[in-house]
């Protein structure tokens, strides 16, 4: 990472990717000058969420790296970047990779400005409690950003201070993957006591941190902790519960249902561009990403997909094109980006319990998700071993989160990418560092195989 020491390379990166993405109008705040009082601190915090939802991050390209790599989504267009991903010919010059990397580090930069500046402000309108909340949100979002870098690229440079001049944060070597994950945990641990234990599906609260902790511990194979943190959300049934049918959390312009733990909100002025890539031309999209025949078959099988077939649809003859419709709000672009749903917490706890040799309890959680999808109940007779339960959870996650940022990372973390996708080269289990970043920062080394 060039530590974002120059804004120009970032702008060049975005302009170079313009042929395959439409750059969002980011909320530009020169944090080193602008965060001077309560009002500008709040503006900068809004800008932090804007960066998290930007086209390069959860608004499009980071998520696309996962589902285009995961084997269930086909590329149907003319763009070179997604073609490389689905053809297993990813290079360090890939535009999606460069865009996602840059967007994540810009999110970290925005968090760093808030973390350094907000504690120093003396505005009477900025109470100590509000300062704590802002810092907690910034810490949690920085944790999520480093978590995504770790699962995507492995160990990365840990930039924990603002970058204000070209000489700031220079010469920093990449940390190990373990140390990068350790920073994630450190930030989440620091964030938790600063945040209110309220329910807010669009902003980070203490409950959001608990959900992130559950996911973190799952990836780190810390099963008891994963079970414990997932339980905190599942037990809060007043605020978090599975909605039924499956489509209820996204259909009919739904937002902020009890299904969502953390979803990013978009507006007419800050659009989620996903619909453009998923919808067919007949619905004002480009349909360059589409479910492949195998995924369509699984979703349409009542015994496997259940009512989750609602997440796909088919155009009229003679086209008969299958497409994803999780994102469909055109031209407004107000589809939420679903970062964490309560269904994930159920499946995290199911997996953790299976690993902890609690098969009956694991099946209870798995069946909660299956029941919502109108699927048959699994029992210890039909799913008698830990391996069988884990495979059932894997299959459930595959369909439950078909168009979310899950499949590729699930296969990597469980060691299943080789048998499922036939990718035997472990060097390909991480993404390449963008060439532009390697050239800009001599301290940054490339991942093996690129």
């Amino acid at each position: 990472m060039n530590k974002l020491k120059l804004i120009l390379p970032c702008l060049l990166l975005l302009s170079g990717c313009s042929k395959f993405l439409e750059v969002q109008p980011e909320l530009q705040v020169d944090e080193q000058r602008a965060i001077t009082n309560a009002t500008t601190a709040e503006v900068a915090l809004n800008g932090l969420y804007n960066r998290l939802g930007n086209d390069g991050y959860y608004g499009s390209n980071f998520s696309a790296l996962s589902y285009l790599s995961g084997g269930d989504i086909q590329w149907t267009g003319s763009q070179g970047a997604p073609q490389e991903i689905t053809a297993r010919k990813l290079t360090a010059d890939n535009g999606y990779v460069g865009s996602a990397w840059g967007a994540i580090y810009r999110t970290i930069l925005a968090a760093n400005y808030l973390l350094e500046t907000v504690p120093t402000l003396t505005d009477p309108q900025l109470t100590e409690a509000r300062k704590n909340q802002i810092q907690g949100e910034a810490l949690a979002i920085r944790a999520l950003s480093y978590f995504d870098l770790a699962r995507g690229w492995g160990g990365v440079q840990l930039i924990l201070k603002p970058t204000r001049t070209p000489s700031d944060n220079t010469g920093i070597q990449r940390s190990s993957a373990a140390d990068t994950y350790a920073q994630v945990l450190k930030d989440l641990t620091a964030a938790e006591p600063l945040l209110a234990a309220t329910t807010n599906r669009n902003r980070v609260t203490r409950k959001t941190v608990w959900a992130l902790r559950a996911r973190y511990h799952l990836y780190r194979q810390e099963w008891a902790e994963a079970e414990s943190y997932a339980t905190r959300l599942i037990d809060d049934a007043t605020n978090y519960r599975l909605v039924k049918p499956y489509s209820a959390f996204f259909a009919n312009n739904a937002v902020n249902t009890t299904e969502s733990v953390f979803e990013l909100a978009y507006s007419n002025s800050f659009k989620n561009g996903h619909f453009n890539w998923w919808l067919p031309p007949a619905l004002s999209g480009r349909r360059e990403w589409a479910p492949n025949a195998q995924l369509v078959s699984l979703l349409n099988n009542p015994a496997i997909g259940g009512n989750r077939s609602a997440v796909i649809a088919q155009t009229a003859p003679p086209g008969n094109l299958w497409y994803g419709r999780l994102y469909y709000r055109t031209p407004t672009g107000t589809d939420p980006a679903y970062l964490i749903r309560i269904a994930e917490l159920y499946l995290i706890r199911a997996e953790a319990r299976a690993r902890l040799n609690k098969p009956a309890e694991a099946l209870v959680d798995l069946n909660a998700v299956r029941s919502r999808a109108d699927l048959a109940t699994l029992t210890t007779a039909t799913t008698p071993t830990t391996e069988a339960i884990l495979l059932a959870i894997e299959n459930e996650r595959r369909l439950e989160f078909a168009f979310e940022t899950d499949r590729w990372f699930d296969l990597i973390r469980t060691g299943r990418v080789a048998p499922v996708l036939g990718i035997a080269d472990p060097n390909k289990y991480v993404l390449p560092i963008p060439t532009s970043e390697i050239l800009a920062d001599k301290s940054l080394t490339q991942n093996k195989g690129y």
Side-chain angles (χ1 to χ4, degrees):
M1 201 267 302
N2 63 10
K3 278 84 72 187
L4 300 179
K5 57 193 177 191
L6 295 175
I7 299 301
L8 180 58
C10 299
L11 296 178
L12 290 175
L13 172 63
L14 289 174
S15 63
C17 299
S18 61
K19 62 181 180 294
F20 64 87
L21 70 92
E22 297 174 4
V23 180
Q24 295 282 15
E26 293 186 17
L27 179 58
Q28 298 293 347
V29 176
D30 186 351
E31 289 91 343
Q32 63 176 314
R33 292 196 303 267
I35 305 178
T36 58
N37 54 33
T39 299
T40 52
E42 298 293 349
V43 170
L45 181 61
N46 290 337
L48 177 59
Y49 283 92
N50 187 302
R51 294 184 187 279
L52 189 62
N54 184 265
D55 275 343
Y57 203 173
Y58 277 101
S60 177
N61 287 10
F62 176 71
S63 300
L65 283 169
S66 178
Y67 34 70
L68 291 173
S69 298
D72 287 333
I73 307 302
Q74 60 182 325
W75 163 82
T76 65
S78 58
Q79 312 298 337
Q83 181 184 26
E84 285 184 0
I85 301 168
T86 55
R88 313 294 180 199
K89 297 179 180 179
L90 193 60
T91 69
D93 293 321
N94 185 275
Y96 276 40
V97 172
S99 175
W101 173 279
I104 296 173
Y105 268 110
R106 281 191 293 277
T107 305
I108 291 168
L109 174 62
N112 287 343
Y113 278 123
L114 283 162
L115 290 168
E116 180 179 82
T117 306
V118 168
T120 69
L121 300 180
T122 57
D123 189 328
Q125 294 184 0
L126 198 59
T127 65
E128 199 63 28
R130 187 57 191 157
K131 282 186 179 182
N132 287 341
Q133 179 70 28
I134 292 172
Q135 292 176 84
E137 291 179 57
L139 282 164
I141 291 175
R142 188 172 73 177
L144 175 59
S145 300
Y146 275 120
F147 178 84
D148 288 336
L149 285 169
R151 63 176 175 165
W153 286 268
V156 298
Q157 294 166 309
L158 296 177
I159 310 301
L160 306 176
K161 298 292 183 182
T163 304
R164 294 194 171 95
T165 71
S167 61
D168 288 343
N169 293 320
T170 58
I172 297 177
Q173 302 293 320
R174 293 179 65 181
S175 296
S176 67
D179 285 345
T180 304
Y181 276 117
Q183 183 62 46
V184 173
L185 181 58
K186 183 177 180 180
D187 279 349
L188 290 176
T189 302
E192 184 174 344
L194 299 175
L195 294 162
T198 56
T199 302
N200 189 326
R201 305 183 201 283
N202 299 134
R203 304 297 283 257
V204 171
T205 71
R206 192 177 300 175
K207 296 177 183 181
T208 319
V209 170
W210 294 342
L212 291 172
R213 285 286 299 263
R215 183 190 285 175
Y216 166 87
H217 291 299
L218 182 77
Y219 272 70
R220 303 306 290 156
Q221 299 184 4
E222 296 163 355
W223 312 121
E225 292 89 345
E227 178 189 29
S228 174
Y229 277 98
T231 297
R232 296 188 188 194
L233 278 297
I234 294 169
D235 282 354
D236 186 4
T238 299
N239 295 300
Y240 304 107
R241 59 184 181 275
L242 296 164
V243 295
K244 198 169 184 177
Y246 173 78
S247 62
F249 78 87
F250 68 89
N252 302 313
N253 295 311
V255 295
N256 296 329
T257 69
T258 56
E259 176 82 19
S260 280
V261 177
F262 188 27
E263 66 180 49
L264 297 178
Y266 291 82
S267 66
N268 286 323
S269 60
F270 182 59
K271 294 185 178 182
N272 184 341
H274 269 90
F275 72 86
N276 182 54
W277 303 107
W278 288 106
L279 293 181
L283 296 174
S284 303
R286 297 174 59 169
R287 194 185 169 271
E288 297 207 5
W289 310 335
N292 63 18
Q294 184 180 44
L295 181 60
V296 168
S297 177
L298 291 171
L299 287 169
N300 281 332
N301 185 333
I304 299 174
N307 60 29
R308 287 181 297 221
S309 60
V311 81
I312 57 173
Q314 189 175 31
T315 62
N320 300 317
L321 299 174
W322 286 100
Y323 62 93
R325 60 176 189 173
L326 181 62
Y327 303 99
Y328 58 87
R329 303 175 206 202
T330 178
T332 61
T334 54
D335 299 282
Y338 303 100
L339 271 60
I340 310 175
R341 295 193 283 113
I342 194 63
E344 181 182 351
L345 278 300
Y346 274 101
L347 293 177
I348 285 174
R349 194 169 73 172
E351 187 171 340
R353 286 176 164 177
R355 298 286 188 180
L356 291 168
N357 197 28
K358 301 177 181 179
E361 293 174 72
L363 287 174
V364 168
D365 287 334
L366 176 57
N367 283 324
V369 177
R370 288 177 58 83
S371 174
R372 189 267 292 279
D374 288 337
L375 296 172
T377 299
L378 299 179
T379 67
T380 52
T382 60
T383 320
T385 65
T386 297
E387 290 72 20
I389 294 173
L390 291 173
L391 181 58
I393 293 168
E394 176 186 305
N395 291 335
E396 215 61 44
R397 290 185 70 108
R398 178 184 187 181
L399 301 184
E400 180 69 26
F401 310 114
F403 304 138
E404 296 168 69
T405 315
D406 241 41
R407 177 66 171 167
W408 170 252
F409 297 125
D410 277 345
L411 294 175
I412 295 296
R413 70 174 177 80
T414 58
R416 293 271 296 155
V417 69
V420 173
L421 299 179
I423 304 174
D425 182 359
N427 291 329
K428 302 305 179 183
Y429 297 172
V430 291
L431 302 168
I433 308 297
T435 298
S436 60
E437 304 294 332
I438 297 289
L439 293 174
D441 187 345
K442 301 305 180 183
S443 300
L444 189 57
T445 57
Q446 184 58 272
N447 280 325
K448 292 181 180 180
Y450 293 102

